[in-house]
Amino acid sequence: MTGTTADTTGTAAPTADTSGSAARATAPLAGLRVLDLATLFAGPLAATLLGDFGAEVVKVEHPVRPDASRGHGPAKDGIGLWWKLLGRNKRTMTLDLSTPGGRDTLLRLAGTADVVIENFRPGTLERWGLGWPELSAANPRLVLARVTAFGQHGPYARRPGFGTLAEAMSGFAAITGEPDGPPALPPFGLADSIAALTTAYAVMTALAGRDRTERGQVVDLAIIEPILTVLGPHPLWYDQLGYVQPRTGNRSTNNAPRNTYRSADGRWLAVSTSAQSVAERVLRLVGRPELIAEPWFATGSGRAAHAPVLDEAVGGWIARHKADEVVAAFEEAEAAVAPVNDVRDVMVDPQYAALGTLTEVEDPELGPLRMQNVLFRPSGTPGAIRWAGRPHGADTDAVLTELGLTEAEITALRKEGVL
C-alpha cells in the first residue's frame, strides 16, 4: 500500500509500504515491536501512541469479532471513523488465540516482539495457555502490559468493567456537575484515555528497566487508578482534614472568578484566575477594582467563597461585549480567557493550526482524513502518522510470512479457522 506520512507540522510525505520501515528509520521507537491484542480503548490507544513514534505495531484481532472500535460511533461508507484514528500506524492481522494454532502462532510472534498489550479479563490468557510463564519462556525480554478495569487481583478483578466505571469509582463523577444536579459522567472515554497515556509511559518505564536487567516484566495497569491520580490531592485532603469536595459546576473551590460566561453575541467564554495577579487584572478590566481591596480577595479560597459576587462582575461585563472584543481585551490585559469551542471551532482555530495539532492523512479507503496529529513534538526525533487504520486482517499473510510460515501453513491455519 502507498500511504502518506504526516509529520508534526501537518505536512505529508510519501511512504513506501505498510511496514513503514523507511518512515520509522529516524523515529525514536524505531526497532520496537508491539503486539496489540487489546480492544476498546485504553490498550489500543496506548499501542497507537507507541506506533506514532516509530514502534512497529501489529494489531491482532479475532477473525470474526474484530476490535469493536471499528463499529463504534459514526461511519462513512460503512467504515468506522474512530478506527481510522485508533488503528493508525498499525498493521492488522487476525488470529483466534483460543485455538491451539492461534496459541502457537502468538507465542512465535511474541518471540519476535518487545511488548504485548492485552486487556482480557484476568485469567483469560492463562486459560488459553498464553499466561506470563508461557510468554516469558518464548521471550525472556518481553514486556507484557495488562490493562483491565480493576487490575489482576483483588475482589473486583474478574468483574467486567469499562472506563465509565472508573470515572464513577474514582470520585470523578461525584465532583462533576452542578451542585443541585446528579453526578456527571464525561461523554467520551476519559478514564480510558488517561489509562492509555499511563500505559504507554509504563511500557517505556518497563523497557528502560529491561535495559538494566535484560529481563522483561509484567505491567499491571488498572483503569481505575490513573484517573484517581489526575484528580489530585482528594485522598490527602480527606485523610488529613476529613474534607470531601462537593460538586461546584464550573466554579472552583480553590479560586475565583472561574466560570463560563456568555458574550453579547451569544458565544461562551471560559475565564480562569488561578494566579492572584491575573485575578486582579480581570477585576480591573471589568471595572470593579474596589473588589481587589476586599480582605477576602487576597487568597484563592477567599475569592472562591465570594464567587457569586465575582461572577456577577465578570459575567456582567462580558455580557455587554462581543466575544472577539472580550478576547482582545483580556489579551491586552494579560488575563486568561478562551472561547468554549465545539469541534467546528477547533478545526479552524489558529493556535491549533500553528501547532499542527490537526493533520491530513491520505487513506486508500476514504481519501484524505483530518485527524489529531502525534501527541508531542520532539525537535530531533519527531513522530509521524504513516497511515490510518487498516482493514480487518489486511496484513495477516504478510506478518505470518515474515514470521517464517509458508503459504501452505498459512492456508492450513485459515482452513482451521485460526485466521
Side-chain angles (χ1 to χ4, degrees), residues 268-360:
W268 287 96
L269 299 111
V271 172
S272 178
T273 57
S274 295
Q276 179 71 23
S277 59
V278 173
E280 293 175 6
R281 291 172 200 157
V282 169
L283 270 295
R284 292 190 186 100
L285 170 64
V286 302
R288 297 295 300 275
E290 74 280 4
L291 294 175
I292 300 172
E294 294 287 346
W296 50 260
F297 196 90
T299 65
S301 59
R303 297 197 308 274
H306 292 79
V309 174
L310 297 173
D311 278 345
E312 185 280 327
V314 176
W317 183 87
I318 290 176
R320 297 191 297 272
H321 296 80
K322 293 181 178 180
D324 288 346
E325 296 170 346
V326 174
V327 172
F330 267 68
E331 184 173 0
E332 183 176 355
E334 297 185 1
V337 70
V340 178
N341 287 342
D342 65 21
V343 69
R344 294 167 294 186
D345 304 310
V346 170
M347 299 296 273
V348 296
D349 188 287
Q351 184 61 34
Y352 282 132
L355 295 172
T357 305
L358 298 167
T359 191
E360 187 172 284

Side-chain angles (χ1 to χ4, degrees), residues 251-263:
R251 288 175 174 168
S252 168
T253 57
N254 302 312
N255 65 81
R258 192 263 196 184
N259 213 327
T260 56
Y261 308 95
R262 199 167 193 175
S263 65

